């Protein structure tokens, strides 16, 4: 991690469950100083390297950066209280899946910038993917956030919210799908007589090794599959099942579509709540 990288002081994390915790884990692992961070969460469960409190009144001076890391369904409850502590000097980074920038801006009208970020859970080990989007963040803010999220893996700014949603449905949700694939590979290994422990390790290492080879050599997935599957061999027989009538492509497309539709529903709920 770039030694000059710093978090704005103060930075507030409002909520710190799976995703907020993963981001802080990644930054901590990269050596970033987390002392500017105050975590505000109802349970008060401590987060290493930060100050953790249960309410805004105990959070200290108004924040320069606020990361919204609670569930989208909590927005109506949190926004009216949080708004009181923010100013034109505050940048909001919202992790809330599906809640559009315009809906956030309506709830936090006076803040300096509203940025949406969709990270994936491997940010915890600095191998995440983060999509960023804003209509009102200045160049310096964009650069600072780009540096902070690039320290957690791969980060990119998206041109519009539909592309951000597309990134979210592939990369944000993706670790869950990859986890299911590895689990299915594991179960198949167990059915062929391997112990659960061995099957789990080799399934995981197979996915890791394949991704690592592609990432480090630039080789495409078509080429990798071709190099593994010799004509009329065992792998080709397996691929015929996965490829047959687009089985895998259709399954993944339906999976991603379902996530994308749920994102659209969440966006609609957030829009409707603002108008109500
Ligand atoms: N998980 C993912 O892979 C993923 C990917 C992309 C985006 N996201 C987004 O990240 C956000 C957080 O998801 P998550 O998976 O981290 O959820 P989570 O594990 O359930 O964590 C939710 C957090 O919100 C806190 N919270 C609940 N009510 C609150 C309140 N009134 N004020 C302040 N904090 C409150 C909880 O505090 P306590 O811990 O004290 O109970 C908890 O820390 C969501 O908006 C989600 O859409 C998640």
């Amino acid at each position: 991690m770039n030694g000059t990288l710093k978090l704005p002081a103060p930075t507030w994390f409002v909520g710190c469950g799976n995703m907020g915790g993963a981001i802080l884990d990644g930054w901590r692992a990269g050596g970033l100083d987390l002392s500017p961070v105050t975590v505000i969460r109802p349970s008060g469960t401590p987060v290493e390297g930060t100050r953790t409190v249960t309410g805004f009144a105990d959070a200290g001076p108004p924040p320069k950066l606020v990361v919204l890391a609670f569930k989208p369904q909590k927005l109506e409850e949190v926004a009216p209280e949080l708004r009181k502590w923010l100013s034109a000097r505050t940048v909001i980074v919202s992790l809330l899946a599906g809640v559009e920038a315009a809906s956030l801006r309506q709830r936090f009208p006076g803040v300096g910038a509203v940025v949406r970020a969709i990270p994936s859970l491997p940010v915890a080990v600095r191998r995440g993917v983060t999509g960023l989007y804003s209509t009102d963040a200045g160049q310096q803010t964009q650069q600072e956030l780009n540096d902070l999220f690039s320290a957690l893996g791969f980060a990119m700014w998206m041109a519009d919210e539909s592309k951000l949603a597309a990134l979210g449905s592939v990369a944000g949700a993706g670790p869950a799908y990859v986890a299911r694939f590895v689990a299915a590979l594991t179960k198949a290994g167990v059915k062929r007589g391997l112990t659960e422990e061995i099957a789990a390790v080799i399934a995981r290492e197979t996915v890791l090794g394949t991704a690592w080879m592609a990432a480090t050599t630039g080789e495409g997935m078509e080429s990798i599959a071709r190099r593994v599957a010799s004509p009329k061999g065992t792998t080709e027989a397996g691929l015929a099942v996965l490829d047959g009538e687009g089985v895998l492509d259709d399954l993944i497309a339906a999976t991603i579509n379902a996530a994308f539709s749920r994102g659209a529903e969440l966006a609609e709920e957030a829009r409707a709540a603002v108008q109500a």
Side-chain angles (χ1 to χ4, degrees):
M1 199 179 280
N2 168 355
T4 60
L5 201 58
K6 273 198 177 85
L7 281 162
T11 290
W12 285 6
F13 266 65
V14 185
C16 192
N18 286 309
M19 187 43 80
I23 291 172
L24 290 172
D25 283 350
W27 282 336
R28 189 187 307 105
L32 190 66
D33 176 18
L34 298 185
S35 65
V37 177
T38 297
V39 171
I40 300 119
R41 65 194 302 188
S43 66
T45 307
V47 180
E48 188 189 334
T50 74
R51 202 166 74 86
T52 308
V53 299
T54 55
F56 299 117
D58 299 321
K64 285 199 182 130
L65 175 66
V66 177
V67 179
L68 306 183
F70 47 83
K71 293 281 189 196
Q73 293 82 354
K74 292 276 175 184
L75 183 58
E76 296 323 307
E77 182 187 326
V78 176
E81 185 59 24
L82 173 59
R83 192 164 44 213
K84 298 176 196 163
W85 305 90
L86 311 184
S87 72
R89 293 173 63 231
T90 317
V91 172
I92 289 193
V93 172
S94 165
L95 309 182
L96 276 52
V99 180
E100 290 164 344
S103 295
L104 292 160
R105 176 51 82 180
Q106 280 171 299
R107 286 170 176 89
F108 303 105
V111 300
V114 169
V115 177
R116 290 187 61 196
I118 302 196
S120 65
L121 214 49
V123 290
V125 291
R126 306 182 61 218
R127 296 297 320 198
V129 172
T130 304
L132 295 159
Y133 173 79
S134 178
T135 53
D136 50 25
Q139 221 173 349
Q140 195 186 337
T141 299
Q142 288 201 19
Q143 187 59 54
E144 283 166 9
L145 291 173
N146 201 61
D147 291 347
L148 284 168
F149 281 97
S150 294
L152 300 173
F154 177 79
M156 69 183 294
W157 287 86
M158 309 307 286
D160 59 55
E161 281 187 305
S162 72
K163 291 205 172 57
L164 184 75
L167 177 142
S169 59
V170 174
Y177 309 144
V178 174
R180 282 283 199 272
F181 178 78
V182 173
L185 213 50
T186 303
K187 283 180 209 159
V190 170
K191 272 200 182 136
R192 303 311 309 173
L194 297 172
T195 65
E196 171 99 37
E197 199 185 356
I198 300 276
V201 170
I202 64 172
R204 186 194 67 207
E205 292 301 313
T206 300
V207 170
L208 189 61
T210 308
W212 189 245
M213 187 165 72
T216 52
T217 65
E219 185 174 7
M221 293 300 165
E222 271 301 320
S223 164
I224 291 177
R226 208 177 324 111
R227 287 204 298 126
V228 181
S230 45
K232 298 202 187 334
T234 53
T235 310
E236 197 177 72
L239 283 179
V241 175
L242 280 184
D243 296 345
E245 294 173 16
V247 173
L248 185 62
D249 284 352
D250 288 352
L251 180 64
I252 298 297
T255 304
I256 300 290
N257 281 347
F260 200 80
S261 302
R262 180 63 187 135
E265 276 173 20
L266 286 171
E268 184 48 43
E269 282 169 26
R271 274 195 296 268
V274 168
Q275 282 152 13

